[in-house]
């Protein structure tokens, strides 16, 4: 059974760097084809893909946010970490991590999400 | 502006059938990339309810069906039930953007 859970601050101040951790179980990020992605959703708005990391450490980023994002993995801890620099009010959103099904384009398991508010 | 276009809202009475469209372009659906659909009840995480255009994960009722043709896809829900009231998102991959892309979401109201 695959599970994922996001953790990190619920409140960040403008210009700060956000660090979110996705802790997962039920699969290994060292297995061929495995991937974990981050998706966010501002209140009342649509889902937006942010970043994804594959089992082989291949990393992909949203073109519009590439300069602000870094995704890493710690296979031994079953964790994926997303950092986003220079946070602003428009970055207020629920941030989800999700399991990518075997090198496909679909996310088959999602974490519960964590709401991050950017405010001074 | 989402890369995949969905109607903001649809509605139907219990027992009726509704369809939700998802329009893409030659760099995503039209390039042969599959479409997937997620159901999101407010306050909860999205749930995959259709993958590879028309495949249902285990546990998803067969009242849900999907299709794709060219640059468009659709999700149909027949025999509407109150529990189907949720937001629905289509999702695919865009080769021009090298990005996973979502639709803007469609709010389904069961009257």
């Amino acid at each position: 059974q695959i599970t994922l859970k996001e953790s990190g601050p619920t409140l960040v101040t403008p210009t700060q760097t956000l660090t979110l951790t996705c802790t997962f179980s039920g699969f290994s990020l060292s297995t061929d084809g495995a991937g974990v992605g981050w998706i966010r959703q501002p209140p009342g708005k649509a889902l937006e893909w942010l970043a994804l990391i594959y089992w082989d450490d291949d990393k992909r980023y949203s073109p519009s946010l590439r300069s602000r994002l870094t995704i890493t993995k710690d296979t031994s801890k079953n964790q994926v970490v997303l950092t986003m620099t220079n946070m602003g009010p428009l970055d207020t959103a629920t941030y989800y991590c999700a399991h990518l099904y075997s090198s496909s384009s679909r996310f088959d398991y999602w974490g519960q999400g964590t709401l991050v508010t950017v405010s001074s | 502006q989402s890369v995949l276009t969905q109607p903001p809202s649809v509605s139907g009475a219990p027992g009726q059938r509704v369809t939700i469209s998802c329009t893409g372009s030659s760099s995503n659906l039209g390039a042969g990339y599959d479409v997937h659909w997620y159901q999101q009840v407010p306050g909860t995480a999205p749930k995959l309810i259709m993958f590879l255009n028309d495949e249902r994960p285990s546990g998803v009722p067969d009242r849900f069906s999907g299709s794709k043709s060219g640059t468009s896809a659709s999700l149909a829900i027949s025999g509407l039930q109150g529990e189907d009231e949720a937001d629905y998102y289509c999702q695919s991959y865009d080769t021009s953007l090298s990005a996973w892309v979502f639709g803007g979401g469609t709010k389904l109201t069961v009257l």
Side-chain angles (χ1 to χ4, degrees), chain A residues 11-14 89 117-120:
Chain A
L11 178 67
V12 298
T13 55
T117 301
V118 184
S119 175
S120 55

Side-chain angles (χ1 to χ4, degrees), chain A residues 18-88:
Chain A
L18 171 68
T19 299
L20 293 172
T21 300
C22 175
T23 302
F24 57 86
S25 63
F27 69 97
S28 172
L29 205 38
S30 60
T31 300
D32 279 11
V36 172
W38 285 94
I39 299 103
R40 72 177 179 180
Q41 184 175 38
K45 296 191 176 182
L47 300 166
E48 177 186 21
W49 171 74
L50 301 176
L52 186 134
I53 190 164
Y54 285 105
W55 83 101
D56 60 357
D57 212 37
D58 184 12
K59 303 168 185 177
R60 308 294 176 89
Y61 296 102
S62 166
S64 62
L65 293 166
R66 178 186 306 274
S67 63
R68 299 173 53 204
L69 295 173
T70 302
I71 190 170
T72 60
K73 63 180 175 71
D74 186 330
T75 304
S76 65
K77 293 183 178 179
N78 280 354
Q79 290 182 333
V80 171
V81 175
L82 180 75
T83 60
M84 180 180 291
T85 61
N86 194 25
M87 294 288 285

Side-chain angles (χ1 to χ4, degrees), chain B:
Chain B
Q1 196 79 352
S2 300
V3 173
L4 303 177
T5 301
Q6 298 179 236
S9 63
V10 297
S11 62
Q16 284 190 332
R17 180 179 186 271
V18 296
T19 60
I20 300 172
S21 62
C22 175
T23 303
S25 68
S26 58
S27 59
N28 41 69
L29 303 189
Y33 289 97
D34 296 309
V35 67
H36 317 295
W37 293 88
Y38 302 86
Q39 177 192 62
Q40 186 180 33
V41 174
T44 69
K47 171 189 173 186
L48 181 68
I49 60 166
M50 195 70 60
F51 64 95
L52 297 178
N53 310 315
D54 58 5
E55 297 285 337
R56 279 178 288 106
S58 172
V60 174
D62 59 6
R63 302 185 293 104
F64 291 82
S65 61
S67 65
K68 173 182 169 258
S69 179
T71 59
S72 295
S74 65
L75 175 73
I77 310 170
S78 60
L80 268 182
Q81 299 181 4
E83 65 195 47
D84 299 332
E85 193 162 279
D87 296 319
Y88 292 83
Y89 293 89
C90 60
Q91 179 254 311
S92 186
Y93 184 83
D94 191 285
T95 187
S96 293
L97 297 172
S98 294
W100 284 259
V101 292
F102 288 91
T106 298
K107 181 177 180 59
L108 169 61
T109 301
V110 180
L111 303 171

